Amino acid sequence: LYAVESRRHVMALVVTLVTMSIREDVAGQLAVLGVFLLLTGPAAVEGILLSVVPAAYAVVLKLLVMPKYKGGEEAFVNQYQGLLPSGAHGFEGVLATIVGNLPFTANVAVDKDKVGYALQIFAPLLALPLRARRWWLLVLPGFAFTLLSTAYWPLIQISFQYSAYWVPWLFIGVVLALERIGERRAADDATAPVRQRAVVVGLVFASLASTMYQGAFTRHETVRGGFGPFHFGTTADDMRRRGALAMALAIIPRDARVAASEELTPHASSRRYDYKLRYGIWDAEYLLFTVPVGGEEGKHALPEIKNGDFGVVADLGGVVVARRGQPTALNGAFLSRIGQ
């Protein structure tokens, strides 16, 4: 937005391309910014380009490229499952519900958990962006991607990355609101700077109050990362787990295919094939998982060890490595240890 409004076209082009490369839904957010520029600013040509190119890119990725590599299945449609009409399977069905059944869509968007999430997002900023009417267009990404989700809790928890659907637009909205508050209401209006300074003081107070209540600086016990509490600092147990993980990774050849548990997959991701164990094993040669192992990860890993298709190579306490076709001498001791 800065690059476009300041006519730094090379910067705008580079930043747009890099931003589009992050994810297809981020490109969709850029398209919303393009419409905003087209409707509210002098950068009409840039707004048209920013609307059309990222939007086309997002649509091609979402509806053509991603389904091609998922066997015809559309990615992430499960996050909006409750908006799918009976018999529908893709985002076209979700859009049909949103457009054709507004009361139902509004009921999906406004429930207790989502209202609480929205308050967590807006309260530290005094809901100031809502004061800037031209900002309301920029609320669409956050609203569509998070508040229209159905029974997919990460999208409405600030401990997940999805709050990024809101954050950049919120701070643009703060700037627009402060600009509007600072406008003179009459030629002799001398209170505009006072109003602006008062709102800034309010912003500081609200942000400090929010971080005192649930921020990382003052109340470590309230901070969450993903579904669990965030652990600050490094303990002896942390060092032992880190050492166990290093030993486990040293066992697995660099070119081997691995199915790894959620926390360990990033550590194995420098190889060409690194599968998420909770989705499946496929042609993985090695399993790399944390103990205790349960849920979808346990559903995939434990039967393979019980039936002997994979043999435990190393049981390192909190981390286990198993290999396809490996002798199963260690399997019984491992299964006994975890009560299986």
Side-chain angles (χ1 to χ4, degrees):
L1 180 61
Y2 163 75
V4 170
E5 290 197 335
S6 60
R7 295 297 192 268
R8 288 169 167 80
H9 292 129
V10 173
M11 178 193 292
L13 176 63
V14 171
V15 172
T16 297
L17 292 175
V18 172
T19 303
M20 284 170 56
S21 76
I22 296 171
R23 273 174 53 141
E24 82 290 346
D25 46 4
V26 176
Q29 293 188 74
L30 276 179
V32 173
L33 181 60
V35 175
F36 173 81
L37 285 166
L38 179 62
L39 296 179
T40 65
V45 174
E46 293 91 336
I48 292 172
L49 289 173
L50 205 55
S51 302
V52 173
V53 176
Y57 175 77
V59 169
V60 168
L61 275 183
K62 178 69 82 175
L63 300 184
L64 298 178
V65 176
M66 294 168 74
K68 177 183 177 181
Y69 291 97
K70 285 178 65 68
E73 178 187 349
E74 292 188 22
F76 305 116
V77 73
N78 63 299
Q79 298 175 351
Y80 308 93
Q81 195 74 31
L83 291 173
L84 278 174
S86 178
H89 303 285
F91 279 101
E92 296 89 345
V94 173
L95 291 174
T97 299
I98 292 172
V99 174
N101 195 340
L102 291 178
F104 178 78
T105 303
N107 189 57
V108 167
V110 183
D111 69 19
K112 177 171 65 70
D113 292 321
K114 290 176 181 177
V115 169
Y117 171 74
L119 288 173
Q120 286 181 301
I121 293 286
F122 279 93
L125 301 177
L126 291 176
L128 267 186
L130 300 176
R131 292 282 304 272
R133 290 179 190 147
R134 58 190 176 125
W135 175 82
W136 277 76
L137 176 65
L138 298 181
V139 80
L140 287 177
F143 178 82
F145 286 120
T146 65
L147 299 187
L148 291 184
S149 64
T150 57
Y152 189 78
W153 306 118
L155 278 165
I156 55 170
Q157 294 181 10
I158 62 170
S159 54
F160 285 85
Q161 73 272 20
Y162 301 109
S163 55
Y165 287 131
W166 294 96
V167 172
W169 313 116
L170 286 170
F171 285 97
I172 290 172
V174 167
V175 172
L176 295 175
L178 287 173
E179 178 186 49
R180 184 167 181 262
I181 291 166
E183 292 173 352
R184 295 181 181 273
R185 296 172 180 172
D188 59 347
D189 182 8
T191 64
V194 177
R195 291 197 304 271
Q196 208 170 44
R197 285 195 293 269
V199 171
V200 169
V201 170
L203 276 173
V204 171
F205 177 80
S207 295
L208 286 176
S210 295
T211 204
M212 289 290 290
Y213 177 67
Q214 59 182 20
F217 295 107
T218 56
R219 297 191 61 183
H220 290 180
E221 71 277 7
T222 67
V223 181
R224 299 176 66 80
F227 286 115
F230 185 81
H231 169 59
F232 290 84
T234 302
T235 66
D237 284 340
D238 295 331
M239 298 304 295
R240 280 193 290 272
R241 280 194 296 271
R242 194 174 301 172
L245 175 58
M247 292 172 62
L249 292 171
I251 292 170
I252 303 172
R254 295 288 302 168
D255 58 348
R257 301 175 185 228
V258 178
S261 59
E262 190 84 358
E263 297 96 332
L264 303 185
T265 258
H267 299 280
S269 62
S270 59
R271 64 193 68 241
R272 186 171 184 182
Y273 295 97
D274 172 28
Y275 306 122
K276 274 193 175 182
L277 180 56
R278 71 186 176 100
Y279 292 146
I281 293 175
W282 295 287
D283 58 350
E285 302 161 72
Y286 284 84
L287 303 180
L288 174 66
F289 56 89
T290 55
V291 176
V293 56
E296 295 298 313
E297 293 177 359
K299 189 172 83 172
H300 291 129
L302 293 178
E304 299 290 335
I305 293 174
K306 288 178 180 178
N307 65 26
D309 286 349
F310 279 76
V312 173
V313 177
D315 183 354
L316 302 169
V319 179
V320 173
V321 180
R323 183 181 182 184
R324 190 185 293 273
Q326 176 77 12
T328 59
L330 299 179
N331 288 22
F334 163 69
L335 293 170
S336 176
R337 178 171 80 83
I338 65 171
Q340 293 286 328

